[in-house]
């Protein structure tokens, strides 16, 4: 935030270059102005962009090499039809839309997948029940079905008119009606525009091309640092205890999991772990947690990690309150000071405090609440921050900054973390945090899961409470196929066995989640190395043009179609190619929509022809060291699957310390083999099942 | 919109004066920077305000002399505690709040009267069901219970934090809680701030003081040109016919009113009067209206005025389409071009078209629909207008511009008009348009009526349809005590007699409306000359500190407390002083809250002690020429009432062509007299009732 004198000079110069004042059009020429930064990635700098943008304050490296490995693709759009100009202190941007073109992305939406026809103001906020742009991750990135996408890289509230506005000079005018007498009159005439308005005197645009929408998304994810690779334990089952639980109560609850044979990887403590919350001290309450270090060790001895709730506001009686005060914003949140996490001093002071109180005591990570806002919180837009970041900018990146900060604390210890966060934006793809919220519509939770795959964020449809055992089981089934499988019982005190009549079914799907860790871990490795979202919208799957709101892909081969309370059957859209029932191996269909009636016990899961699914043997906690893996093969196609493995907990994999094991199966000869690619070790296997040990 | 080169120069100069770039604080000093413009009115120019603001494009004159006649009052706020600065391209404004201070105004809200505790973004829009700033008249003017108010004169979306934000450096910090254990913890800590954020590099503020909140509002209204004085016929009963009615059908419907003895002053035609609507030609459909001039004359002969629906979009087959095209915005609305009504050329072209097609044919006025927006309409914020006005600015003033334009067309003929509009803002107080909308919650309609009194606009809780005859009657009763008493049957085809079991009660309250015209006309004269809102919130009434959402004052003496469907009784807050039942004259209470059970037939109306209510004799249409008036006096106090009269239809009253008739009544001697103040004519009367003739 330095060099302000120079900044003023540049401002005037650029205005001057446009030949007049701020009301003049500074038209940008996209036929000439795109700067290539990697294969299928171009930048355009319109006007005089803000110094602070969605990526500028974050710590990650774009994975340019991996981007360059993706098949080359031109921008499938007439650049002369794209316009951008600075006017009235704002940046106006327009992309042309073809008749059949579909638009995806534009934030973590909960009720819609395809976005053409929508008007939104992208604005970090808790989700309020309608897809109007206010959401936990209003990532200003769209993916077009034509095979390109654009990031509007501005830490600003961004207005979007996605195929709603009609220009007077359009080449594709809507039909002219007379509402008096034409029944076809529509309140929303045809529009060939995708228009954006950014409240800044310039903006950086980043264009991504791809032979498929998936390739566009991959390039976007890799540009944002590539996906997170969680520690293996992060992919197990999570449970959060009621807010005022003491260490004895937590131990009892953990014991109950063991006694009942329910899996558990991570136990989450809520605000009551601290002496004060809302605002926070981030210091252990000596009454409820007299010996936190021993408590964390005790959990670790049972292969259970401890995760702690925090929110942004620093209490006046926090040990470092006086020290942090100069690096906090003008406004408080529930009496808490709001650290400016863009500043080195803040990271040092808060980092030392979190390390001393939690990380160095073995705490595995955090649930970072309420950095999404809601206008009453985080601080109003009239707030200012000591770095010079404005309230509006900070609102758009506060969650990103907290993610970057916390990830950094673990990274410097060479320990991976995995946790939860209420806000993200572009640039957070590589950070080990999964978004959650207070909303609780199960259908919408699944739609959010699908939408997360367009915009480089992760989402969990966490389970909290349910009205019926049916709803409980349906929610548990779905969350076990998400990036973070969690029962968040902070308010309700529910347990996985709270609904006795479905206790065994819940246990079974939780056990299945544990078993799927090898498959999921490889899935995340492809997120990290190749930018492929671990959970994907159906329209990112080859052979599928549909965009249902209630089914999704997990990893390479699994198609998950959850049921919701009250349903006994549902439609499932199967992309082209043969699909098989995950539980029975039976053929289900090929490029058709089928109706399934799975019964209450099962969540419908389908496997692509040739799908190879490596699975752990049943277990309730994830031990350190090697774990036996068994492998399933589905369908009739001879196929292979490269299973990723590493130490599961450090960043050494970034320096090449990992293994790929090639699993090959050929149903024609009913046998297969596994080859460790780096040392050439080979195992044979028959009947599409064999066992070996992971690291 | 000329002088752009100079404008740029000023911009740079002012930035220079602040010594740095846009991220620097340009703190404004309110202890020195207020410029007095009238008694109790001061301006402050923060930073470099936009050339276009809420008032700059409108045609009206502030009534400075009338403002100076209001009792002088200092600003009851510590000016050193008010702050304003330009930062990040926006203007930040802060006013201090006292512990008990209440805040009113801030737009046409429908669900709340007191605004402290609210966060809003003031933004012209259709009302969407919550008081979040998006409304038909989001006037950025607040009135404080301390006795001052401020207009933030910016044609911008304005963020408001009304007693919600807490500054770190506050002198009045909220109590520090621990949510873990303190039950008193609140999600909304105490705030001593009223903060605004305006997305412009400067803004004009206009401060208004007053010995009472009413005086603050009066100064605001007079600064905005003073209130409208409608033509007398505008205060009668209005009815709108179904959209595709032909002139024969309209005549039949009007005949039915006469046959059944229902009053009617204005008949409204909906889109079907035109050859094409959505977009509009504004030309009579020769099929449905073969002879519009004769039709209008026929109505006039029955003392019935004709009002026409229009909306902003000009159809490509409108006669003046080619001519107006250069003066329309970049984007269309339902295929219609949007005239830039800030431009002289637009006013000429559209004015000639409206005059030729409607006004010169005797049409009395318009219902101007859909200029409020809804983001899909009016045009997106990415639109631009040929005058240089941006989409955001135009959204905030489109309704105001249409009002100014239409009022001007009638003014140049020296004929008053009265009509309807969907959008207004500061500066429209003197324009002859009443706001209406598509929302239809009866309680909220009444709350809007109350809120209109703080912000210098008029609102009608129009009746459309009802589920039950009870609801029908309750809505009819309430609308008859509003600025525009209308049944808007465009979609439903309802008639006042549609619910047969309450037909007579509906007729009675419509007849009462007609009778009240002399009282209402004087009430509006006080709006025009003295800035007193004709319908007023209770907290603008001396002796009342309560701010109920469901009762209001009409004129000097009437307190109206409508019932809503499902209610048989209700509470009524009576300010200090004696109050009497309007229908019986019985004493009801003094400074107390009473419960009333009026029965279905009556809407509870109360009269202040000494209240003198001049009323027309029963009649169904308002004839030209003198009309007999009878007078009622209520209570025990000897009192007087100055009855306003003029020709009822021209602007000659602005040149002094009007009469005040002083009505004096003394119950101690059971007699009174009326004195025409300008010629001294005196009538005596007894038993508080006498008759005389208006002009």
């Amino acid at each position: 935030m330095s060099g302000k004198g120079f900044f003023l000079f540049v401002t005037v110069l650029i205005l001057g270059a446009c030949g007049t004042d701020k009301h003049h059009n500074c038209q940008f020429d996209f036929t000439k102005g795109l700067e290539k930064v990697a294969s299928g990635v171009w930048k355009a700098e319109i006007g005089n962009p803000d110094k602070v943008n969605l990526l500028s304050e974050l710590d990650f490296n774009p994975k340019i090499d991996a981007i360059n490995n993706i098949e080359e693709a031109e921008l499938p759009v007439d650049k002369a039809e794209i316009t951008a100009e600075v006017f009235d202190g704002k940046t106006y941007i327009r992309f042309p839309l073809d008749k059949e073109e579909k638009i995806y992305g534009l934030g973590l939406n909960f009720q819609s997948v395809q976005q053409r026809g929508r008007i939104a103001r992208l604005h970090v906020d808790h989700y309020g029940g309608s897809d109007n742009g206010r959401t936990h991750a209003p990532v200003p990135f769209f993916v077009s079905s034509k095979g390109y996408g654009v990031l509007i890289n501005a830490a600003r509230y961004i207005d979007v008119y996605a195929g709603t506005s009609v220009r007077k000079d359009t080449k594709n005018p809507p039909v002219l009606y007379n509402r008096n007498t034409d029944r076809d009159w529509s309140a929303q005439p045809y529009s060939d525009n995708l228009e954006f308005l950014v409240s800044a005197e310039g903006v950086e645009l980043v264009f991504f091309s791809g032979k498929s929408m998936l390739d566009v998304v991959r390039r976007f994810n890799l540009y944002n640092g590539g996906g997170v690779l969680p520690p293996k334990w992060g992919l197990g089952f999570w449970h959060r205890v009621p807010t005022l639980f003491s260490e004895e109560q937590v131990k009892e609850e953990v014991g109950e999991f063991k006694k009942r044979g329910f899996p558990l990887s991570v136990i989450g403590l809520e605000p009551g772990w601290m002496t004060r919350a809302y605002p926070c001290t981030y210091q252990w309450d000596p009454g409820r947690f007299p010996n936190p270090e021993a408590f964390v060790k005790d959990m670790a001895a049972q292969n259970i990690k401890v995760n702690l709730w925090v929110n942004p506001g620093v209490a006046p009686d926090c040990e470092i309150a006086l020290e942090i005060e100069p690096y906090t914003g003008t406004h408080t949140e529930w009496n808490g000071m709001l650290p400016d996490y863009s500043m080195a001093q803040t990271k040092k002071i808060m980092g030392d405090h979190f390390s001393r109180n939690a990380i160095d005591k073995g705490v595995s990570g955090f649930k970072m609440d309420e950095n999404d806002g809601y206008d009453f919180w985080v601080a109003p837009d009239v707030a200012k921050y000591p770095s010079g970041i404005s309230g509006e900018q900070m609102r758009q990146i506060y969650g990103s900054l907290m993610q970057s900060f916390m990830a950094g604390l673990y990274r410097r210890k060479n320990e991976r973390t995995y946790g939860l966060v209420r806000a993200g934006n572009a640039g957070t793809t590589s950070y080990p945090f999964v978004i959650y919220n207070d909303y609780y519509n199960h259908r919408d939770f699944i739609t959010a899961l699908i939408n997360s795959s367009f915009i480089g964020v992760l989402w969990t449809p966490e389970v909290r409470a349910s009205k019926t055992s049916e709803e409980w089981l349906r929610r548990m089934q779905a969350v076990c196929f998400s990036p973070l499988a969690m029962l968040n019982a902070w308010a309700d005190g529910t347990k996985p066995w709270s609904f006795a009549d479905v206790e065994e079914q819940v246990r079974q799907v939780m056990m299945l989640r544990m078993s799927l860790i090898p498959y999921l871990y490889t899935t995340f490795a492809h997120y990290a190395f190749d930018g492929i979202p671990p959970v994907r919208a159906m329209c990112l799957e080859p052979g599928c043009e549909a965009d249902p709101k209630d089914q999704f892909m997990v990893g390479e081969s699994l198609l998950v179609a959850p049921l919701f309370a009250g349903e006994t059957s549902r439609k499932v859209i199967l992309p082209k190619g043969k699909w098989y029932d995950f539980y029975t191996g039976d053929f289900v269909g090929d490029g058709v929509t089928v109706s399934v009636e799975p019964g209450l016990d099962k969540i419908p899961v389908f496997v692509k022809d040739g799908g190879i699914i490596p699975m752990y043997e049943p277990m309730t906690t994830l031990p350190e060291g090697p774990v036996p893996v068994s492998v399933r093969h589905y369908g009739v196609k001879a196929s292979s699957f490269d299973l990723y493995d590493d130490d599961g907990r450090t960043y050494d994999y970034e320096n090449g310390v990992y293994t790929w094991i090639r699993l090959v199966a050929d149903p024609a000869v009913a046998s297969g083999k596994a080859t460790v690619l780096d040392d050439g070790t080979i195992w044979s296997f028959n009947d599409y099942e064999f066992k070996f040990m992971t690291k």
Side-chain angles (χ1 to χ4, degrees), chain A residues 551-573:
Chain A
Q551 65 176 81
F552 53 90
M553 296 295 300
V554 176
E556 190 182 325
S557 301
L558 297 183
L559 188 167
V560 181
L563 270 79
F564 303 97
E567 288 184 349
T568 53
S569 70
R570 62 158 291 164
K571 303 271 183 221
V572 181
I573 298 168

Side-chain angles (χ1 to χ4, degrees), chain A residues 498-509:
Chain A
S498 281
F499 291 85
D501 55 331
V502 293
E503 178 174 342
E504 183 50 25
Q505 291 95 321
V506 167
R507 201 183 69 81
Q508 286 297 337
V509 78

